[in-house]
Amino acid sequence: MVKYQKNNQFQWKKTKEDTVDEDEDSYLHPFALICTNSGYSNTRAKPKLFFFIFLFLLSCTLFLAPHLFSSNSITSLSFFYSFGVDNGSETDVNTSLCSSVPNGTICCDRSSIRSDICIMIGDVRTHSVSSSIFLYRATDPSGYLTGLTDDDEDEYVIQHEKIRPYTRKWEPGVMDTIAELDLVVKRKDFGVRRSCDVVHDVPAVFFSTGGYTGNLYHEFNDGILPLYITSQHLNKKVVFVILEYHNWWITKYGDILSQLSDFPAVEFHRDKRVHCFPKAIVGLRIHDELTIETSLMENHKTIGDFRDLLDRAYWPRIRGLIQDEERKARLKMEKSTLSPASRTMKKPKLVIISRNGSRAITNEDSLVKMAKSIGFLVEVLKPKRTTELAKVYRLLNSSDVMVGVHGAALTHFLFMRPGSVFIQVVPLGSEWAAGTFYAEPSQKLGLKYIGYKILPKESSLYIDYDKNDPILIDPSSVNKKGWEFTKKIYLDRQMVRLNLRRFRKRLLRAYYYSVARKNMR
Ligand SMILES: *[C@@H]1O[C@H](CO)[C@@H](O)[C@H](O)[C@H]1NC(C)=O
Ligand SMILES: *[C@@H]1O[C@H](CO)[C@@H](O)[C@H](O)[C@H]1NC(C)=O
Ligand SMILES: *[C@@H]1O[C@H](CO)[C@@H](O)[C@H](O)[C@H]1NC(C)=O
Ligand SMILES: *[C@@H]1O[C@H](CO)[C@@H](O)[C@H](O)[C@H]1NC(C)=O
Ligand SMILES: *[C@@H]1O[C@H](CO)[C@@H](O)[C@H](O)[C@H]1NC(C)=O
């Protein structure tokens, strides 16, 4: 536990705004990496939630080694995170809780280990100076006697809840960086009721874009997907009220936000006006890593539906880009009868998500040559935090294969069309994370997943360590020692030099599959 908290302080320093690179994910999930156990993962144990919490509180050391993850089987890797979410009946997200909230009350669902969510119905008014949201209840004969609590200074307070609206509840270190909101039910007819500066006739959803925001994996996993899960059923009739607000986030995700809400977002702490709502949802629901659990969605939405939303979100911008290009092409059009594009139409397209620095592919140039010689059109994408997502979407949505080394930028698999191929290069010591955070969710989206687990000889660590060093031959024993070791050795200092003869087999598989698929269409 001590170790765990230290890690979080470290992460927090690293994740302060503007210090995080798009592809810097090395501070990801210390907890996940520390607390994994090969014994448990094999059996897919499904203990009750409270049992898990108990184990967690007791000691992380109960969970020992990451389960080795081979290219073909990704069985039960997310056992710890999913809590058996694969069966709707045994889940950490209790949909029945707070499904009907009486007017004038707050209902908080704190049953999930990942996030809390509170629903307030009635006369809801913000008071950002005190980080509060008030709910004024009309006096009624029963409430008059029963509702009042003794421990509140304010005698008109009927109910008081506190919440940090962020989806990583099990990581106290990062939760401490999120503002805490006071949700207070007061009696309407007593005391001062602040008057509304802005009256909304649609509900509000309150959430934070702080924490690990700045890292693509976290932006989608902790933010965008939970926002979709929590708000899509409102059909855009919702106002987003954001804590730890960043202008760049609004810019980066504007296309998606406009598919989820018809209204401009409110910056909670800067906007001192009193906003009034008929309902407030405070906090976001979250299911599993980068996915949507359909059985938990009110209207049975799937991760595929989320991807359709991305398609709608990016289409206007992409259409604009296409029109620009066509205009330019027409101007340049001379004698060229058949454009090269139409001749190469049938070639499958492969995109390499390129990293530089740690976990880069040092022989990437040779990889590109080999992929071309197999028959692929090859594009190398070096995503930066400022890279426009619509452009990345356009590229990946028109590609057949995506290749990349384990890391946050692989979150872009969400932009691949279902049925296309995703090859993840898995460096030494990262099998568990590779399986849980990218392999499993990409398969849920319907991608053909190929894991390429490198051999010690393909790792730069092979040069640094003795052939028999546990770092090379037994990464799980190193991961067992703790997150600092995993991070320092495997995530920050490891480069990959692909054995191209070995890797070629995967590329050929992907090639024949893609060609067959293209010809079927
Ligand atoms: C999942 O739940 C259903 C009932 O909802 C049950 O029939 C089925 O056996 C369960 N599967 C597992 C693997 O627990
Ligand atoms: C969900 O909440 C309801 C109401 O509190 C409870 O009866 C039910 O057992 C809960 N289910 C789970 C899976 O926690
Ligand atoms: C809650 O009750 C108030 C009157 O006390 C009413 O104006 C409001 O429409 C009700 N809201 C809902 C969602 O029923
Ligand atoms: C994504 O690709 C599909 C299939 O080629 C196409 O129909 C769709 O318009 C593309 N989406 C965007 C936003 O370009
Ligand atoms: C990584 O890329 C940046 C520019 O994108 C460059 O300035 C830097 O030198 C590169 N680092 C390495 C190790 O190649």
Side-chain angles (χ1 to χ4, degrees):
M1 213 53 208
V2 172
K3 230 184 264 166
Y4 172 44
Q5 293 190 344
K6 234 193 296 176
N7 297 335
N8 275 305
Q9 281 160 16
F10 174 73
Q11 291 173 16
W12 180 66
K13 265 186 246 136
K14 282 208 72 168
T15 50
K16 280 227 177 119
E17 197 188 356
D18 293 324
T19 63
V20 195
D21 290 338
E22 182 70 292
D23 62 357
E24 180 49 72
D25 60 332
S26 51
Y27 51 83
L28 266 172
H29 317 292
F31 177 59
L33 287 163
I34 294 166
C35 303
T36 56
N37 180 313
S38 53
Y40 277 78
S41 60
N42 273 331
T43 54
R44 184 135 202 148
K46 283 192 178 180
K48 292 212 164 74
L49 178 63
F50 67 80
F51 179 61
F52 256 121
I53 296 169
F54 172 68
L55 281 185
F56 166 58
L57 292 174
L58 186 67
S59 166
C60 273
T61 58
L62 279 175
F63 299 89
L64 300 169
H67 175 52
L68 289 188
F69 154 71
S70 76
S71 57
N72 300 323
S73 85
I74 54 148
T75 50
S76 65
L77 281 162
S78 69
F79 75 99
F80 188 80
Y81 269 87
S82 65
F83 305 101
V85 172
D86 61 337
N87 209 334
S89 56
E90 234 184 323
T91 168
D92 64 322
V93 185
N94 196 327
T95 39
S96 56
L97 265 175
C98 299
S99 56
S100 73
V101 182
N103 195 339
T105 63
I106 304 175
C107 175
C108 289
D109 180 352
R110 302 188 191 271
S111 65
S112 163
I113 198 168
R114 289 171 178 261
S115 75
D116 289 339
I117 184 168
C118 295
I119 317 277
M120 312 167 80
I121 308 263
D123 182 356
V124 174
R125 303 182 183 217
T126 62
H127 188 243
S128 67
V129 179
S130 64
S131 280
S132 302
I133 308 171
F134 293 107
L135 172 57
Y136 292 97
R137 185 198 289 184
T139 315
D140 67 276
S142 56
Y144 183 75
L145 284 174
T146 58
L148 295 177
T149 55
D150 303 332
D151 51 350
D152 272 298
E153 302 147 37
D154 187 335
E155 57 184 302
Y156 304 119
V157 170
I158 301 171
Q159 193 184 352
H160 187 175
E161 299 279 355
K162 286 175 181 287
I163 183 171
R164 296 181 198 266
Y166 189 57
T167 51
R168 298 187 80 81
K169 186 177 148 183
W170 75 94
E171 289 190 56
V174 73
M175 289 307 281
D176 283 349
T177 69
I178 307 296
E180 188 170 58
L181 293 174
D182 285 290
L183 314 183
V184 184
V185 183
K186 286 188 163 189
R187 291 178 49 208
K188 195 179 218 160
D189 307 325
F190 299 86
V192 195
R193 187 160 56 130
R194 286 166 222 286
S195 59
C196 300
D197 297 315
V198 188
V199 178
H200 305 266
D201 55 9
V202 298
V205 170
F206 290 74
F207 63 96
S208 169
T209 54
Y212 297 142
T213 306
N215 170 294
L216 190 75
Y217 168 82
H218 289 287
E219 285 167 17
F220 275 92
N221 188 65
D222 307 342
I224 296 291
L225 272 159
L227 190 59
Y228 176 84
I229 288 169
T230 311
S231 70
Q232 60 79 30
H233 67 282
L234 297 169
N235 293 318
K236 302 196 204 177
K237 302 293 174 244
V238 56
V239 174
F240 295 144
V241 184
I242 303 177
L243 285 72
E244 287 88 39
Y245 180 104
H246 307 291
N247 285 319
W248 68 261
W249 187 87
I250 297 285
T251 306
K252 183 170 181 180
Y253 291 103
D255 297 334
I256 297 178
L257 295 177
S258 66
Q259 292 296 317
L260 289 171
S261 167
D262 282 335
F263 304 91
V266 173
E267 182 177 356
F268 183 70
H269 281 107
R270 255 236 328 243
D271 188 339
K272 307 272 192 277
R273 293 173 300 176
V274 175
H275 289 265
C276 297
F277 299 97
K279 173 177 179 177
I281 299 169
V282 188
L284 300 177
R285 291 191 194 278
I286 174 169
H287 296 162
D288 205 344
E289 303 301 326
L290 289 179
T291 199
I292 290 167
E293 199 53 53
T294 300
S295 61
L296 300 175
M297 293 297 283
E298 266 177 39
N299 39 17
H300 304 291
K301 293 287 188 213
T302 64
I303 186 68
D305 291 314
F306 172 74
R307 201 186 168 283
D308 291 345
L309 177 133
L310 295 181
D311 207 87
R312 290 197 299 279
Y314 293 127
W315 174 241
R317 171 67 177 144
I318 291 173
R319 188 181 48 204
L321 291 170
I322 292 172
Q323 285 166 351
D324 283 353
E325 286 163 8
E326 284 173 350
R327 216 172 294 127
K328 281 185 200 138
R330 247 179 275 124
L331 290 176
K332 272 200 279 179
M333 183 98 84
E334 285 133 340
K335 287 169 236 154
S336 66
T337 44
L338 197 62
S339 73
S342 60
R343 264 188 279 123
T344 53
M345 277 263 278
K346 285 276 168 181
K347 270 196 177 186
K349 195 195 301 180
L350 176 141
V351 176
I352 298 171
I353 306 285
S354 176
R355 293 179 67 99
N356 87 0
S358 96
R359 281 170 285 149
I361 298 175
T362 51
N363 55 345
E364 193 175 277
D365 291 348
S366 311
L367 170 64
V368 171
K369 282 199 196 102
M370 183 179 76
K372 282 183 178 161
S373 75
I374 287 175
F376 282 111
L377 279 176
V378 181
E379 297 245 12
V380 177
L381 177 69
K382 298 187 176 176
K384 294 205 248 348
R385 183 161 135 180
T386 48
T387 307
E388 196 186 335
L389 288 180
K391 291 184 178 166
V392 180
Y393 186 88
R394 183 185 180 191
L395 173 63
L396 292 175
N397 182 55
S398 64
S399 299
D400 303 282
V401 182
M402 177 176 129
V403 177
V405 181
H406 173 67
L410 295 189
T411 306
H412 286 119
F413 80 75
L414 289 168
F415 294 0
M416 295 293 287
R417 290 191 316 275
S420 51
V421 179
F422 168 33
I423 303 178
Q424 177 173 215
V425 176
V426 183
L428 298 182
S430 55
E431 294 87 357
W432 188 87
T436 304
F437 305 130
Y438 303 106
E440 284 206 351
S442 70
Q443 290 178 315
K444 288 180 186 163
L445 178 61
L447 303 188
K448 296 289 167 203
Y449 175 77
I450 299 176
Y452 180 82
K453 193 176 160 228
I454 70 165
L455 300 173
K457 275 192 175 171
E458 296 174 272
S459 170
S460 61
L461 301 176
Y462 194 76
I463 302 161
D464 306 339
Y465 294 93
D466 182 81
K467 313 291 165 272
N468 296 317
D469 195 300
I471 286 177
L472 297 180
I473 59 173
D474 189 12
S476 61
S477 71
V478 177
N479 286 333
K480 250 185 253 180
K481 290 204 252 172
W483 166 250
E484 302 93 304
F485 292 87
T486 299
K487 175 172 164 40
K488 207 172 75 194
I489 296 168
Y490 295 123
L491 297 179
D492 291 352
R493 285 188 32 216
Q494 185 173 200
M495 313 277 242
V496 174
R497 184 169 184 85
L498 290 175
N499 174 339
L500 290 178
R501 197 173 302 162
R502 186 170 171 248
F503 195 71
R504 186 183 160 86
K505 293 182 198 149
R506 272 69 170 189
L507 280 192
L508 280 174
R509 240 165 87 193
Y511 179 78
Y512 291 125
Y513 169 82
S514 303
V515 169
R517 201 164 155 265
K518 272 183 124 52
N519 289 328
M520 259 160 44
R521 271 189 265 147

